[in-house]
Amino acid sequence: MKMPGNQPSADLHVSASELAQMGVCERLVVFEKCYGKRRTQARQRAIRRGLHAHQRFYRGRHLDAFAYRHSVIATRIASVLYGWLRRAMRGTLWSIRWCIALWAKAVGGSDGT
Amino acid sequence: MALDVAIITFIGVNAGLWLLRRRYSVRTVGPVLPPELRIARLIYAERMFRSIGPMSISAKVDRVYRNAAGEFVLLELKTRRASRTYLSDVIELSAQRIAVMAQTKEPVVWHAYVLTDGPEGCRTAWHRVKLMRLGDLLALALRRKALLAGEIDARWARSPGMCRTCGFQRECRSS
C-alpha cells in the first residue's frame, strides 16, 4: 500500500470534485466510501439550486457583453420615453409623473453593475 | 384618452425593458465578472478535461477564458449563501488547472476566479484565489488514497457549519 510521500502509482485517478471534498471533511470522504452518498434535504435543495444556477450560467455564456450594452440602451430608451411623456402632459397630473419617475429610477437602479 | 394610452404604453414598455434587463443583465452575471475577464474571450464552457501523468485528474470546468496576455483563466460558479471562498474551491480549481493544461497544452495562470451566486435577492460576487502547485495536489490525492485504504485517520471538518447539512452526523458522533 502506498503512503503519503511515496511515489504515486500509475492508477492514481481522481476527479477535481473528489479532491475538493478533502478540503471539506475527510471523515465525509470515508463515510461516503463505506455507506455511499447520503444527502439531507437541505443538501439536496442546495444541489438542485446549484444545478439550476449552472444551467443559467451556461445559457448566458454568450450574453455577457450583450447584457452590458442592453442595459445602457434600455436606460436611454426609458429616458427618451419619459421626456416625451413629460412634454405631452405639460405639468399636469404631477402624481403620475412622480410615480413614473420612481419607476424609471427603479429601472435605472436594477443595473447589475 | 390619448394620454391614457400614452401612460399605459409607457408603463408597459418600461415593464418590458425592466424584465428584459433582469433576464439578461442579472441572470447572465455579465456585469459582475472580474475586470480581467470582462475583456477576455470565452474559450470553453462546461467542458470536461483530463490529465494523464503521475496523477490522472478529470475535471469539469465551468468557464475558461483567454486573457489579454494569451493565457487561460479559470472561472468557477458556486451557489452559496456566504459570499466567500473555501479551501475546497482552491483545491478544485487547482485540479482543473492541471487537467486543462495537460489536455490543451496551453498555459493557465496561477490564479482563478470563484463566482458566488447567493439565493434569490443576493448579489453575485467574484473572488480571486491563488492556486495550488501540482506537488501539493499530488500529496492530497495520495492522502485520500491512504484514507480510503484505512491507513490513516480522517480529520474532522474544517468548519463545524459543514456538519449541519451532513447526512452522516449520527455515524460521525458515534465513531
Side-chain angles (χ1 to χ4, degrees):
Chain A
M1 285 293 179
K2 301 284 180 188
M3 290 294 288
N6 291 358
Q7 285 300 308
S9 62
D11 61 346
L12 185 58
H13 172 77
V14 68
S15 75
S17 54
E18 285 170 346
L19 264 187
Q21 202 179 26
M22 289 288 288
V24 178
C25 178
E26 290 185 356
R27 293 174 73 84
L28 178 64
V29 173
V30 176
F31 283 130
E32 284 201 345
K33 188 195 179 236
C34 295
Y35 304 108
K37 286 194 185 299
R38 189 186 297 173
R39 285 161 181 160
T40 59
Q41 283 192 340
R43 193 84 203 111
Q44 286 173 351
R45 275 198 302 273
I47 290 169
R48 277 199 298 272
R49 194 162 57 84
L51 288 172
H52 185 61
H54 270 85
Q55 284 170 359
R56 278 194 281 117
F57 193 53
Y58 182 72
R59 281 201 304 267
R61 65 196 186 281
H62 300 306
L63 296 171
D64 292 346
F66 171 74
Y68 204 72
R69 284 198 301 274
H70 177 272
S71 63
V72 174
I73 293 166
T75 308
R76 279 182 193 163
I77 291 172
S79 61
V80 167
L81 281 173
Y82 179 69
W84 171 76
L85 187 63
R86 196 172 54 178
R87 281 196 301 278
M89 291 169 73
R90 296 281 179 194
T92 58
L93 300 173
W94 61 269
S95 57
I96 296 176
R97 282 179 59 195
W98 181 73
C99 289
I100 292 170
L102 274 184
W103 180 263
K105 194 177 175 184
V107 169
S110 69
D111 193 355
T113 51
Chain B
M1 181 65 185
L3 193 62
D4 292 344
V5 171
I7 289 169
I8 290 168
T9 306
F10 179 79
I11 291 172
V13 167
N14 267 286
L17 289 172
W18 182 75
L19 286 172
L20 275 173
R21 183 147 53 167
R22 188 175 160 80
R23 179 181 170 84
Y24 289 119
S25 174
V26 177
R27 291 197 167 191
T28 58
V29 295
V32 295
L33 285 179
E36 183 184 5
L37 301 186
R38 284 182 199 170
I39 54 166
R41 189 176 164 206
L42 179 65
I43 306 296
Y44 301 111
E46 299 284 337
R47 180 74 74 92
M48 279 295 295
F49 291 92
R50 186 172 179 148
S51 74
I52 297 167
M55 173 175 60
S56 169
I57 299 176
S58 59
K60 189 173 184 184
V61 180
D62 284 349
R63 285 190 186 182
V64 181
Y65 289 85
R66 191 188 293 280
N67 66 10
E71 295 170 316
F72 280 173
V73 185
L74 302 176
L75 176 76
E76 177 79 3
L77 174 69
K78 292 290 175 192
T79 49
R80 59 178 60 137
R81 291 184 188 281
S83 178
R84 56 163 292 189
T85 58
Y86 296 98
L87 175 64
S88 57
D89 301 330
V90 178
I91 295 170
E92 188 170 10
L93 279 161
S94 304
Q96 289 178 4
R97 179 177 178 270
I98 301 299
V100 171
M101 276 200 308
Q103 190 169 321
T104 64
K105 314 289 183 211
E106 295 269 1
V108 182
V109 293
W110 278 102
H111 65 268
Y113 294 97
V114 178
L115 212 58
T116 52
D117 185 27
E120 286 300 321
C122 291
R123 282 272 176 171
T124 307
W126 57 268
H127 311 268
R128 183 180 159 128
V129 292
K130 194 173 182 300
L131 301 182
M132 296 164 65
R133 292 178 308 159
L134 177 60
D136 297 332
L137 281 179
L138 195 57
L140 197 64
L142 287 169
R143 178 172 174 80
R144 181 176 177 278
K145 191 177 178 186
L147 205 63
L148 295 178
E151 295 167 1
I152 54 173
D153 291 329
R155 287 191 288 242
W156 294 80
R158 290 173 181 271
S159 162
M162 296 288 176
C163 302
R164 281 200 295 269
T165 56
C166 181
F168 296 100
Q169 289 182 53
R170 195 160 38 89
E171 289 86 350
C172 197
R173 281 195 213 102
S174 61
S175 65

